[in-house]
């Protein structure tokens, strides 16, 4: 495969402020892009484009960096549609619902779990996602966590060990024993398949002391830490993430001023997951408040069968604008370069020389349409970088 | 084309309570459907299906009636993305924004307007819509309203003359003169292309007396009336629609108890357009309140470049469940048979013997996923009944 010129780009989002209009998004109009060997080799005005082996004209459409979805739970089996219906009829969301998926996942053969991940990853790609993080966390035995991560690893390098999702039923009377398992044999088995370690730090899941112990054990094995925190109510999770210098802390639905200050001081990325608030009918956090405080914000799907079964980053962008006080530009940045920062990746989330050639072509003249046209499948083509 | 057996249907929504489980949706599992000559000839258990000329197995997926989108404004030109960005930054929506689209539409050649409608209709079809109503209303001259309706008529039989969308700039000082035009020469030119007549009855557009005069003039020319009412605030529109016995009144965002009672008494369908509330950041009306009062509710997109540029009925269903207190079953019914009632059509919105063979196949085991998986393009195939 030689060099490809993508031209006729009505609006190109580079996410490089040194390019284009000088804004954070680094916008160019009437632009072109050259890719070679899976990397961006050149971007600039279409009229100044170099000669390449192949040319594709996108007819004035907008091109954006492929979305970087830094938070998903795709390795599972079972059906929780009826639980969703009950929740919409008034039942509240509780972390314990995870256990129904655990039972279905444990009893599913590898082939079924793999097929489910493949289907959801393909669905994500059709919607513009080119980098996806995938967590374990519905196995909760040493065997099932390791096989969940092995399956995830066939689709992405961004695999996260989430043995500490909830305490499984068989350890209900011995949560300390379960933490020993997670930090011991389960971690040993998971570490060879995972890049990250994560904990659901929340009432009904794991407290701050447990979360700290699990994260430190994972770090000692070479995994990097990230955290689910402050989803269902205020709590110590966000400050713990900042104290430990984690790259990202996710949910951040219920934040006190001290949490916001800690995020701003630490540089830890706050990953907002508005699909969860949508699908659990919960109040949305304010992205505006975080951005105004100088916090780096990422947007991700949290695609999972319980609290949020969307795989749509465009919907998350539209919700961030409608519900979280973010501008369309901020929402797009958060779903691309913000997601890249949440995964500590410098090669994705942008379209500038040296980055991966991961883009999405929109059937629209501007990225603004991602929020202006909610629910519409605007992505007409994604460069195929998800394995 | 002979008879086709659609089989392997994991869940079939017929909207015929005499079929299947006896619920309003008339649900069948492990079902099949036979179509012949564009009509449904048979539905029942897959095991009992008759022999047909061709067979298509949908592999356990859910099949629902194609969506009936009873409210859209697709004939226009121009770009209002920047207006959307400004609105999300705090500017409020006002009916006057329509005039910017009017200017662009008037200056657009037929070919451009036709291409725009074709693009949006194709987009709708990909998302499961098989019947669409299309209004004029961005021409506002006799010539431009007539050509808008002629263009719409190439795509649907459900064409609506909306010369009374707003008073155009050139009549700003003479609104009575504009009503004379709408009820006179413009109506003459439009009537040959339209099935319906509609008025935007709202502060900033047309008052109740004007709306009544326009609707009566249209009815005298053989058009049937429908109304935009109570979108931006309380007003007389809903009660006017009920008094005149209109088939449907649309928006119904701000309803007093007397409005709800009038709807229940008259049988006029209340068409809710939740994409508008989403895209104008307005409070949502309660579908629950209307259904509990015995009102027939339809859901439609209101796809238009100003207040709501979504074409996604699945998003409207998800919003109706999240924001309007409707169950997934009620939301699906409203987007199918409810829409059919709002267009006084008995041949669409259901899948039972004699109905049109208009269906959507979902990449999901149940229609519940339309709300459970917001933003995800779940429609994998639509029977091609939109022209």
């Amino acid at each position: 495969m030689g060099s490809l010129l993508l031209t006729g780009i009505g609006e190109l989002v580079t996410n490089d402020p040194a390019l284009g209009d000088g804004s954070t998004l680094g916008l160019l109009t009437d632009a072109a892009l050259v890719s070679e060997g899976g990397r961006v080799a050149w971007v600039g005005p279409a009229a100044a484009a170099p000669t390449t082996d192949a040319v594709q004209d996108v007819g004035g459409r907008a091109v954006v960096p492929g979305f970087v979805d830094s938070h998903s739970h795709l390795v599972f089996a079972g059906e929780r549609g009826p639980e969703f219906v009950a929740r919409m009829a008034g039942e509240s969301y509780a972390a314990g619902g995870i256990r129904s998926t655990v039972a279905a996942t444990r009893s599913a053969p590898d082939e079924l779990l793999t097929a489910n991940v493949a289907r959801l990853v393909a669905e994500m790609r059709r919607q513009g996602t080119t980098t996806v993080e995938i967590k374990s966390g519905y196995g909760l035995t040493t065997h099932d966590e390791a096989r969940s991560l092995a399956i995830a690893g066939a689709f992405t390098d961004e695999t996260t060990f989430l043995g500490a999702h909830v305490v499984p039923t068989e350890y209900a009377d011995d949560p300390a024993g379960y933490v020993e398992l997670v930090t011991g044999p389960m971690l040993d088995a998971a570490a060879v398949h995972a890049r990250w370690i994560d904990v659901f730090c929340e009432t009904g899941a794991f407290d701050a002391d447990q979360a700290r112990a699990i994260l430190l054990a994972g770090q000692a094995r070479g995994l990097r830490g990230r955290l689910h925190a402050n989803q269902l109510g205020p709590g110590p999770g966000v400050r713990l993430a900042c104290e430990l210098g984690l790259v990202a802390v996710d949910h951040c639905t219920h934040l006190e001023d001290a949490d916001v200050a800690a995020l701003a001081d630490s540089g830890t990325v706050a990953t907002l997951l508005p699909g969860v608030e949508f699908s659990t009918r919960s109040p949305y956090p304010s992205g505006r408040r975080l951005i105004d405080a100088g916090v780096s914000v990422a947007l991700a799907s949290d695609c999972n069968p319980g609290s949020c079964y969307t795989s749509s980053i465009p919907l998350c962008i539209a919700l961030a604008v409608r519900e979280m006080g973010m501008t369309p530009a901020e929402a797009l940045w958060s779903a691309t370069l913000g997601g890249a920062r949440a995964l500590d990746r410098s090669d994705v989330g942008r379209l500038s020389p040296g980055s991966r050639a991961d883009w999405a072509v929109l059937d629209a003249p501007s990225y603004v349409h991602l929020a202006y046209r909610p629910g519409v499948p605007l992505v007409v083509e994604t460069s195929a970088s998800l394995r």
Side-chain angles (χ1 to χ4, degrees), chain A residues 1-4 35-39 53-54:
Chain A
M1 192 168 70
S3 56
L4 169 70
S35 73
E36 187 159 16
R39 297 275 166 173
D53 300 324

Side-chain angles (χ1 to χ4, degrees), chain A residues 200-278:
Chain A
F200 187 15
C201 181
E202 197 81 36
T203 302
F206 297 89
D207 67 23
D209 288 342
Q210 293 169 321
R212 180 192 303 270
I214 294 163
L215 290 166
L216 292 177
Q219 288 177 346
R221 290 298 303 264
L223 303 184
R224 304 189 63 187
R226 43 203 313 113
L227 203 57
H228 287 61
N230 298 55
Q231 175 188 353
L232 304 178
V238 165
R239 273 165 286 171
L240 174 65
C242 296
E243 176 205 321
L244 295 177
L246 304 189
V247 172
V249 58
D250 298 14
H251 284 291
C252 302
T253 309
H254 297 272
L255 296 183
E256 296 167 354
D257 289 345
D259 299 316
V260 177
L263 287 164
D265 289 346
S266 65
T268 295
V269 175
T271 303
L272 304 183
L273 309 166
V276 176
E277 280 80 36
F278 188 91

